[in-house]
């Protein structure tokens, strides 16, 4: 995660796995000292800015603390807007905190490894090629933990879920990028990339595969089978995969 971020980026962390792993590397091992790491839950306390702002000289706080329902508080959208000029690249890792999804009104999210890159909507959409170029190196490539050995309460099980989510979100984003009106040719690069990521995840995931992975892999294979220029052998292969990957109760 830390190594995949561009120079002088800001990353906002939520969730124990994200916070503890990145914070340790950043502070104890001095990995990527150029990156500004923000722990979102601590931003909600009124003591945070008086004690920590001296260590964050480039960060602007648009209120006394991060809270959408308290006097002096600010929303995540307020915070991003206050810092977008100082930090050209901003990333969010984890879920939106305490139901504050205000950032979605002004920023689009693009999968980036375990995180999401935040891009101001007024800037326009990132091209698929640009997103792929910068996000592909951030994908977790280490093997999935063997969850048969670890219970739901373990860090290994949580890491397994985060790795699956990260890889699937990239494949799903590529799949969505490949959807075009019926009168336009299907974007081959987007669909092939989605197929590669989803099939790779399906091979690594222990049985049974989750329904969402079955469904999206089936949709991708179905669209590839209908693309012009495919050999009969390739079309048959994609068609068979589509039939195998898509459960009967799911409709593509």
């Amino acid at each position: 995660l830390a190594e995949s971020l561009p120079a002088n980026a800001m990353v906002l962390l939520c969730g124990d796995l994200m916070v503890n792993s990145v914070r340790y590397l950043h502070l104890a091992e001095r990995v990527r000292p150029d990156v500004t790491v923000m722990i979102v839950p601590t931003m909600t306390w009124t003591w945070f800015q008086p004690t920590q702002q001296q260590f964050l000289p480039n960060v602007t706080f648009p209120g006394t603390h991060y809270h959408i329902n308290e006097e002096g508080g600010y929303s995540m959208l307020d915070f991003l807007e206050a810092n977008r000029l100082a930090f050209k690249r901003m990333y969010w890792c984890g879920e939106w905190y305490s139901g504050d999804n205000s950032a979605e009104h002004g920023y689009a999210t693009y999968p980036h490894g375990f995180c999401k890159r935040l891009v101001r909507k007024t800037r326009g959409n990132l091209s698929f090629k640009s997103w792929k170029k910068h996000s592909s190196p951030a994908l977790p490539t280490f093997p999935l933990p063997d969850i048969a050995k670890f219970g739901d309460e373990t860090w290994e099980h949580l890491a397994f879920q985060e790795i699956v989510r990260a890889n699937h979100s990239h494949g799903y984003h590529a799949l969505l990028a490949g959807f075009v009106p019926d009168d336009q040719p299907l974007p081959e690069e987007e669909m092939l990339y989605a197929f590669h990521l989803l099939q790779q995840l399906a091979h690594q995931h222990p049985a049974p595969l989750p329904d969402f992975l079955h469904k999206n892999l089936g949709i991708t294979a179905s669209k590839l089978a209908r693309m012009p220029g495919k050999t009969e052998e390739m079309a048959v292969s994609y068609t068979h995969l589509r039939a195998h990957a898509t459960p009967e109760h799911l409709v593509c």
Side-chain angles (χ1 to χ4, degrees), residues 164-187:
V164 170
R165 182 197 60 77
N167 281 283
H168 179 264
S169 68
H170 280 68
Y172 184 63
H173 182 82
L175 173 59
L176 293 181
F179 280 123
V180 294
D182 293 337
D183 59 346
Q184 296 182 16
L186 202 63

PDB file of all heavy atoms in Angstrom, residues 164-187:
ATOM      1  N   VAL A 164      -9.290  -9.936  -1.297  1.00  0.00           N
ATOM      2  CA  VAL A 164     -10.353 -10.277  -2.252  1.00  0.00           C
ATOM      3  C   VAL A 164     -11.077  -9.018  -2.700  1.00  0.00           C
ATOM      4  O   VAL A 164     -11.336  -8.822  -3.892  1.00  0.00           O
ATOM      5  CB  VAL A 164     -11.337 -11.286  -1.624  1.00  0.00           C
ATOM      6  CG1 VAL A 164     -12.575 -11.462  -2.517  1.00  0.00           C
ATOM      7  CG2 VAL A 164     -10.655 -12.631  -1.404  1.00  0.00           C
ATOM      8  N   ARG A 165     -11.420  -8.160  -1.739  1.00  0.00           N
ATOM      9  CA  ARG A 165     -12.140  -6.939  -2.088  1.00  0.00           C
ATOM     10  C   ARG A 165     -11.329  -6.068  -3.034  1.00  0.00           C
ATOM     11  O   ARG A 165     -11.848  -5.528  -4.012  1.00  0.00           O
ATOM     12  CB  ARG A 165     -12.471  -6.155  -0.808  1.00  0.00           C
ATOM     13  CG  ARG A 165     -13.273  -4.885  -1.054  1.00  0.00           C
ATOM     14  CD  ARG A 165     -13.213  -3.961   0.140  1.00  0.00           C
ATOM     15  NE  ARG A 165     -11.860  -3.560   0.452  1.00  0.00           N
ATOM     16  CZ  ARG A 165     -11.181  -2.639  -0.242  1.00  0.00           C
ATOM     17  NH1 ARG A 165     -11.727  -2.032  -1.285  1.00  0.00           N
ATOM     18  NH2 ARG A 165      -9.947  -2.327   0.105  1.00  0.00           N
ATOM     19  N   ALA A 166     -10.037  -5.910  -2.747  1.00  0.00           N
ATOM     20  CA  ALA A 166      -9.190  -5.058  -3.583  1.00  0.00           C
ATOM     21  C   ALA A 166      -9.097  -5.581  -5.004  1.00  0.00           C
ATOM     22  O   ALA A 166      -9.260  -4.825  -5.966  1.00  0.00           O
ATOM     23  CB  ALA A 166      -7.797  -4.957  -2.964  1.00  0.00           C
ATOM     24  N   ASN A 167      -8.836  -6.870  -5.159  1.00  0.00           N
ATOM     25  CA  ASN A 167      -8.699  -7.430  -6.506  1.00  0.00           C
ATOM     26  C   ASN A 167     -10.021  -7.432  -7.255  1.00  0.00           C
ATOM     27  O   ASN A 167     -10.062  -7.136  -8.454  1.00  0.00           O
ATOM     28  CB  ASN A 167      -8.124  -8.850  -6.419  1.00  0.00           C
ATOM     29  CG  ASN A 167      -6.625  -8.861  -6.202  1.00  0.00           C
ATOM     30  OD1 ASN A 167      -5.855  -8.630  -7.120  1.00  0.00           O
ATOM     31  ND2 ASN A 167      -6.213  -9.114  -4.971  1.00  0.00           N
ATOM     32  N   HIS A 168     -11.109  -7.742  -6.551  1.00  0.00           N
ATOM     33  CA  HIS A 168     -12.404  -7.730  -7.227  1.00  0.00           C
ATOM     34  C   HIS A 168     -12.810  -6.320  -7.637  1.00  0.00           C
ATOM     35  O   HIS A 168     -13.370  -6.114  -8.717  1.00  0.00           O
ATOM     36  CB  HIS A 168     -13.490  -8.338  -6.342  1.00  0.00           C
ATOM     37  CG  HIS A 168     -14.842  -8.319  -6.986  1.00  0.00           C
ATOM     38  ND1 HIS A 168     -15.772  -7.322  -6.739  1.00  0.00           N
ATOM     39  CD2 HIS A 168     -15.419  -9.132  -7.920  1.00  0.00           C
ATOM     40  CE1 HIS A 168     -16.845  -7.543  -7.464  1.00  0.00           C
ATOM     41  NE2 HIS A 168     -16.666  -8.623  -8.186  1.00  0.00           N
ATOM     42  N   SER A 169     -12.539  -5.339  -6.799  1.00  0.00           N
ATOM     43  CA  SER A 169     -12.936  -3.966  -7.121  1.00  0.00           C
ATOM     44  C   SER A 169     -12.236  -3.473  -8.386  1.00  0.00           C
ATOM     45  O   SER A 169     -12.824  -2.732  -9.180  1.00  0.00           O
ATOM     46  CB  SER A 169     -12.647  -3.025  -5.954  1.00  0.00           C
ATOM     47  OG  SER A 169     -11.255  -2.862  -5.752  1.00  0.00           O
ATOM     48  N   HIS A 170     -10.997  -3.901  -8.608  1.00  0.00           N
ATOM     49  CA  HIS A 170     -10.292  -3.518  -9.833  1.00  0.00           C
ATOM     50  C   HIS A 170     -10.915  -4.185 -11.047  1.00  0.00           C
ATOM     51  O   HIS A 170     -11.124  -3.550 -12.086  1.00  0.00           O
ATOM     52  CB  HIS A 170      -8.811  -3.889  -9.726  1.00  0.00           C
ATOM     53  CG  HIS A 170      -8.005  -2.909  -8.946  1.00  0.00           C
ATOM     54  ND1 HIS A 170      -8.169  -2.723  -7.588  1.00  0.00           N
ATOM     55  CD2 HIS A 170      -7.009  -2.053  -9.312  1.00  0.00           C
ATOM     56  CE1 HIS A 170      -7.331  -1.805  -7.164  1.00  0.00           C
ATOM     57  NE2 HIS A 170      -6.618  -1.379  -8.176  1.00  0.00           N
ATOM     58  N   GLY A 171     -11.215  -5.473 -10.933  1.00  0.00           N
ATOM     59  CA  GLY A 171     -11.858  -6.164 -12.041  1.00  0.00           C
ATOM     60  C   GLY A 171     -13.233  -5.601 -12.340  1.00  0.00           C
ATOM     61  O   GLY A 171     -13.611  -5.430 -13.512  1.00  0.00           O
ATOM     62  N   TYR A 172     -13.972  -5.278 -11.299  1.00  0.00           N
ATOM     63  CA  TYR A 172     -15.316  -4.726 -11.479  1.00  0.00           C
ATOM     64  C   TYR A 172     -15.256  -3.341 -12.115  1.00  0.00           C
ATOM     65  O   TYR A 172     -16.073  -3.008 -12.979  1.00  0.00           O
ATOM     66  CB  TYR A 172     -16.017  -4.676 -10.124  1.00  0.00           C
ATOM     67  CG  TYR A 172     -17.447  -4.200 -10.196  1.00  0.00           C
ATOM     68  CD1 TYR A 172     -18.408  -4.930 -10.902  1.00  0.00           C
ATOM     69  CD2 TYR A 172     -17.849  -3.034  -9.549  1.00  0.00           C
ATOM     70  CE1 TYR A 172     -19.723  -4.510 -10.959  1.00  0.00           C
ATOM     71  CE2 TYR A 172     -19.157  -2.603  -9.606  1.00  0.00           C
ATOM     72  CZ  TYR A 172     -20.089  -3.341 -10.304  1.00  0.00           C
ATOM     73  OH  TYR A 172     -21.400  -2.915 -10.370  1.00  0.00           O
ATOM     74  N   HIS A 173     -14.273  -2.537 -11.698  1.00  0.00           N
ATOM     75  CA  HIS A 173     -14.123  -1.207 -12.297  1.00  0.00           C
ATOM     76  C   HIS A 173     -13.811  -1.314 -13.786  1.00  0.00           C
ATOM     77  O   HIS A 173     -14.362  -0.563 -14.598  1.00  0.00           O
ATOM     78  CB  HIS A 173     -13.005  -0.443 -11.586  1.00  0.00           C
ATOM     79  CG  HIS A 173     -12.813   0.955 -12.099  1.00  0.00           C
ATOM     80  ND1 HIS A 173     -13.592   2.014 -11.680  1.00  0.00           N
ATOM     81  CD2 HIS A 173     -11.940   1.471 -13.009  1.00  0.00           C
ATOM     82  CE1 HIS A 173     -13.210   3.119 -12.299  1.00  0.00           C
ATOM     83  NE2 HIS A 173     -12.202   2.812 -13.115  1.00  0.00           N
ATOM     84  N   ALA A 174     -12.933  -2.244 -14.142  1.00  0.00           N
ATOM     85  CA  ALA A 174     -12.616  -2.447 -15.561  1.00  0.00           C
ATOM     86  C   ALA A 174     -13.832  -2.926 -16.331  1.00  0.00           C
ATOM     87  O   ALA A 174     -14.070  -2.511 -17.470  1.00  0.00           O
ATOM     88  CB  ALA A 174     -11.467  -3.447 -15.696  1.00  0.00           C
ATOM     89  N   LEU A 175     -14.630  -3.798 -15.699  1.00  0.00           N
ATOM     90  CA  LEU A 175     -15.860  -4.283 -16.346  1.00  0.00           C
ATOM     91  C   LEU A 175     -16.821  -3.135 -16.612  1.00  0.00           C
ATOM     92  O   LEU A 175     -17.383  -3.012 -17.715  1.00  0.00           O
ATOM     93  CB  LEU A 175     -16.521  -5.333 -15.459  1.00  0.00           C
ATOM     94  CG  LEU A 175     -17.905  -5.845 -15.890  1.00  0.00           C
ATOM     95  CD1 LEU A 175     -17.846  -6.480 -17.274  1.00  0.00           C
ATOM     96  CD2 LEU A 175     -18.450  -6.841 -14.864  1.00  0.00           C
ATOM     97  N   LEU A 176     -17.025  -2.267 -15.621  1.00  0.00           N
ATOM     98  CA  LEU A 176     -17.917  -1.123 -15.802  1.00  0.00           C
ATOM     99  C   LEU A 176     -17.390  -0.185 -16.891  1.00  0.00           C
ATOM    100  O   LEU A 176     -18.177   0.387 -17.654  1.00  0.00           O
ATOM    101  CB  LEU A 176     -18.083  -0.358 -14.493  1.00  0.00           C
ATOM    102  CG  LEU A 176     -18.820  -1.080 -13.368  1.00  0.00           C
ATOM    103  CD1 LEU A 176     -18.927  -0.173 -12.142  1.00  0.00           C
ATOM    104  CD2 LEU A 176     -20.215  -1.518 -13.815  1.00  0.00           C
ATOM    105  N   ALA A 177     -16.071  -0.028 -16.964  1.00  0.00           N
ATOM    106  CA  ALA A 177     -15.481   0.828 -17.997  1.00  0.00           C
ATOM    107  C   ALA A 177     -15.733   0.271 -19.392  1.00  0.00           C
ATOM    108  O   ALA A 177     -15.703   1.008 -20.379  1.00  0.00           O
ATOM    109  CB  ALA A 177     -13.982   0.982 -17.756  1.00  0.00           C
ATOM    110  N   GLY A 178     -15.990  -1.037 -19.458  1.00  0.00           N
ATOM    111  CA  GLY A 178     -16.236  -1.670 -20.753  1.00  0.00           C
ATOM    112  C   GLY A 178     -17.676  -1.626 -21.214  1.00  0.00           C
ATOM    113  O   GLY A 178     -17.980  -2.028 -22.344  1.00  0.00           O
ATOM    114  N   PHE A 179     -18.581  -1.145 -20.369  1.00  0.00           N
ATOM    115  CA  PHE A 179     -19.981  -1.041 -20.781  1.00  0.00           C
ATOM    116  C   PHE A 179     -20.172   0.192 -21.654  1.00  0.00           C
ATOM    117  O   PHE A 179     -19.870   1.314 -21.231  1.00  0.00           O
ATOM    118  CB  PHE A 179     -20.901  -0.962 -19.570  1.00  0.00           C
ATOM    119  CG  PHE A 179     -21.186  -2.289 -18.927  1.00  0.00           C
ATOM    120  CD1 PHE A 179     -20.903  -2.495 -17.594  1.00  0.00           C
ATOM    121  CD2 PHE A 179     -21.724  -3.332 -19.664  1.00  0.00           C
ATOM    122  CE1 PHE A 179     -21.158  -3.714 -16.990  1.00  0.00           C
ATOM    123  CE2 PHE A 179     -21.990  -4.562 -19.074  1.00  0.00           C
ATOM    124  CZ  PHE A 179     -21.709  -4.753 -17.737  1.00  0.00           C
ATOM    125  N   VAL A 180     -20.666  -0.002 -22.855  1.00  0.00           N
ATOM    126  CA  VAL A 180     -20.921   1.085 -23.793  1.00  0.00           C
ATOM    127  C   VAL A 180     -22.292   0.865 -24.412  1.00  0.00           C
ATOM    128  O   VAL A 180     -22.845  -0.236 -24.342  1.00  0.00           O
ATOM    129  CB  VAL A 180     -19.838   1.131 -24.897  1.00  0.00           C
ATOM    130  CG1 VAL A 180     -18.488   1.498 -24.315  1.00  0.00           C
ATOM    131  CG2 VAL A 180     -19.758  -0.193 -25.645  1.00  0.00           C
ATOM    132  N   PRO A 181     -22.891   1.899 -25.019  1.00  0.00           N
ATOM    133  CA  PRO A 181     -24.170   1.711 -25.712  1.00  0.00           C
ATOM    134  C   PRO A 181     -24.085   0.610 -26.770  1.00  0.00           C
ATOM    135  O   PRO A 181     -23.008   0.329 -27.320  1.00  0.00           O
ATOM    136  CB  PRO A 181     -24.427   3.082 -26.350  1.00  0.00           C
ATOM    137  CG  PRO A 181     -23.671   4.045 -25.484  1.00  0.00           C
ATOM    138  CD  PRO A 181     -22.450   3.304 -25.025  1.00  0.00           C
ATOM    139  N   ASP A 182     -25.223  -0.012 -27.060  1.00  0.00           N
ATOM    140  CA  ASP A 182     -25.260  -1.154 -27.972  1.00  0.00           C
ATOM    141  C   ASP A 182     -24.757  -0.829 -29.374  1.00  0.00           C
ATOM    142  O   ASP A 182     -24.291  -1.710 -30.092  1.00  0.00           O
ATOM    143  CB  ASP A 182     -26.689  -1.714 -28.065  1.00  0.00           C
ATOM    144  CG  ASP A 182     -27.131  -2.346 -26.749  1.00  0.00           C
ATOM    145  OD1 ASP A 182     -26.247  -2.734 -25.959  1.00  0.00           O
ATOM    146  OD2 ASP A 182     -28.351  -2.441 -26.519  1.00  0.00           O
ATOM    147  N   ASP A 183     -24.855   0.446 -29.763  1.00  0.00           N
ATOM    148  CA  ASP A 183     -24.440   0.804 -31.119  1.00  0.00           C
ATOM    149  C   ASP A 183     -22.943   1.106 -31.209  1.00  0.00           C
ATOM    150  O   ASP A 183     -22.456   1.515 -32.263  1.00  0.00           O
ATOM    151  CB  ASP A 183     -25.240   2.006 -31.623  1.00  0.00           C
ATOM    152  CG  ASP A 183     -25.075   3.239 -30.734  1.00  0.00           C
ATOM    153  OD1 ASP A 183     -24.569   3.097 -29.604  1.00  0.00           O
ATOM    154  OD2 ASP A 183     -25.455   4.340 -31.182  1.00  0.00           O
ATOM    155  N   GLN A 184     -22.206   0.922 -30.106  1.00  0.00           N
ATOM    156  CA  GLN A 184     -20.767   1.160 -30.117  1.00  0.00           C
ATOM    157  C   GLN A 184     -20.014  -0.157 -29.931  1.00  0.00           C
ATOM    158  O   GLN A 184     -20.511  -1.069 -29.259  1.00  0.00           O
ATOM    159  CB  GLN A 184     -20.377   2.137 -28.999  1.00  0.00           C
ATOM    160  CG  GLN A 184     -20.953   3.533 -29.149  1.00  0.00           C
ATOM    161  CD  GLN A 184     -20.486   4.468 -28.044  1.00  0.00           C
ATOM    162  OE1 GLN A 184     -19.522   4.178 -27.334  1.00  0.00           O
ATOM    163  NE2 GLN A 184     -21.174   5.585 -27.893  1.00  0.00           N
ATOM    164  N   PRO A 185     -18.824  -0.262 -30.527  1.00  0.00           N
ATOM    165  CA  PRO A 185     -18.038  -1.490 -30.345  1.00  0.00           C
ATOM    166  C   PRO A 185     -17.603  -1.664 -28.904  1.00  0.00           C
ATOM    167  O   PRO A 185     -17.312  -0.693 -28.206  1.00  0.00           O
ATOM    168  CB  PRO A 185     -16.845  -1.280 -31.284  1.00  0.00           C
ATOM    169  CG  PRO A 185     -16.735   0.202 -31.452  1.00  0.00           C
ATOM    170  CD  PRO A 185     -18.139   0.721 -31.394  1.00  0.00           C
ATOM    171  N   LEU A 186     -17.567  -2.903 -28.449  1.00  0.00           N
ATOM    172  CA  LEU A 186     -17.181  -3.204 -27.083  1.00  0.00           C
ATOM    173  C   LEU A 186     -15.685  -2.940 -26.889  1.00  0.00           C
ATOM    174  O   LEU A 186     -14.868  -3.410 -27.683  1.00  0.00           O
ATOM    175  CB  LEU A 186     -17.489  -4.674 -26.773  1.00  0.00           C
ATOM    176  CG  LEU A 186     -17.659  -5.078 -25.313  1.00  0.00           C
ATOM    177  CD1 LEU A 186     -18.855  -4.368 -24.695  1.00  0.00           C
ATOM    178  CD2 LEU A 186     -17.827  -6.588 -25.208  1.00  0.00           C
ATOM    179  N   PRO A 187     -15.289  -2.181 -25.858  1.00  0.00           N
ATOM    180  CA  PRO A 187     -13.861  -1.905 -25.631  1.00  0.00           C
ATOM    181  C   PRO A 187     -13.121  -3.188 -25.223  1.00  0.00           C
ATOM    182  O   PRO A 187     -13.317  -3.702 -24.126  1.00  0.00           O
ATOM    183  CB  PRO A 187     -13.860  -0.884 -24.496  1.00  0.00           C
ATOM    184  CG  PRO A 187     -15.251  -0.355 -24.433  1.00  0.00           C
ATOM    185  CD  PRO A 187     -16.130  -1.467 -24.891  1.00  0.00           C
TER     186      PRO A 187
END
